[in-house]
Amino acid sequence: MFIRDESFQTFIRRYPIVTFLVAAHIIVFLLINFTPFSTSLYHFMVGSNYYITAGEYWRLFTPIVTHEAAGHLIFNSFSLVLFGPALEGILGKVRFIIGYIGAGLIANIATLLLLPLSYAHIGASGAIFGLFGIYVYMLYNHRQYIDQANTQILLVVLGISLVTTFMNARINVMGHLFGLIGGAALAPIIFASLHRKKKRW
């Protein structure tokens, strides 16, 4: 489930949404680091609470694909490649997008409401924690989708991720926690839609 053994071409064909999101991470990273308009684009993409309250609502979404540091990009993209494909396969493209972007949006709204106006942030972590939230919901309500071995992998990685959330002052703690909560909150709606579709078939 979490071990990838496909060829690159097969991965792209099976998981086009995960592929697109990772490609977006890389493209935005290159644009904000290696182009003449790097600084202006970065300031356009960053999730600034001050500018969101001033009406620049796109900043609730753009941080989800924005990474300035290579390590940040690699870690979040690797996490998406590790945990995204199984959910894309189970939920389908549209439900996966709703869960992923929806959790990222919830994380960014929580950041806006709970942190100072001066706070600014970037990164896909809130949306990725949203995937964890969907998986946690599955563990309690749809165990048929995840076996014991993958459950252990998931819980270990989630535990480590939660611990490290509180160990780095630069991490958006509210984003991580509310991404997790957001994914878990969206999961019942997503799975209800999925099961209604299966019943129609």
Side-chain angles (χ1 to χ4, degrees):
M1 186 176 191
F2 300 135
I3 305 301
R4 306 265 56 90
D5 56 4
E6 310 97 339
S7 68
F8 183 67
Q9 292 78 9
T10 301
F11 184 95
I12 293 172
R13 186 176 68 253
R14 288 181 181 172
Y15 313 113
I17 303 304
V18 171
T19 301
F20 173 82
L21 290 169
V22 172
H25 290 182
I26 296 169
I27 290 168
V28 172
F29 172 79
L30 293 175
L31 289 174
I32 67 175
N33 281 282
F34 302 106
T35 62
F37 48 87
S38 297
T39 301
S40 58
L41 180 61
Y42 174 81
H43 286 295
F44 179 83
M45 302 288 284
V46 70
S48 164
N49 284 351
Y50 176 82
Y51 287 113
I52 293 171
T53 58
E56 298 184 1
Y57 299 116
W58 70 81
R59 296 177 184 274
L60 292 169
F61 294 94
T62 51
I64 297 173
V65 295
T66 305
H67 303 85
E68 185 180 23
H72 194 198
L73 166 74
I74 292 168
F75 183 82
N76 280 348
S77 297
F78 177 76
S79 297
L80 181 55
V81 169
L82 185 62
F83 293 105
L87 278 183
E88 184 175 344
I90 293 168
L91 301 177
K93 300 178 183 66
V94 173
R95 292 176 188 83
F96 179 80
I97 292 171
I98 291 171
Y100 186 80
I101 301 299
L105 177 60
I106 290 169
N108 291 342
I109 291 173
T111 299
L112 173 65
L113 296 177
L114 298 174
L115 294 177
L117 278 179
S118 59
Y119 192 80
H121 60 99
I122 55 173
S125 301
I128 291 168
F129 267 83
L131 300 185
F132 287 136
I134 296 173
Y135 279 119
V136 169
Y137 172 81
M138 288 167 57
L139 291 180
Y140 284 96
N141 296 278
H142 298 286
R143 288 301 300 267
Q144 69 271 26
Y145 291 113
I146 181 168
D147 61 25
Q148 186 62 36
N150 285 296
T151 296
Q152 292 176 351
I153 294 172
L154 175 68
L155 293 177
V156 168
V157 174
L158 176 57
I160 293 171
S161 299
L162 285 172
V163 170
T164 56
T165 291
F166 296 95
M167 295 178 65
N168 187 334
R170 298 188 64 187
I171 286 178
N172 179 0
V173 174
M174 292 298 106
H176 284 199
L177 295 181
F178 279 90
L180 181 67
I181 293 167
L186 290 170
I189 302 169
I190 293 169
F191 275 92
S193 171
L194 177 64
H195 292 155
R196 280 197 299 271
K197 178 181 178 182
K198 288 183 176 179
K199 285 180 181 179
R200 286 197 296 269
W201 285 96

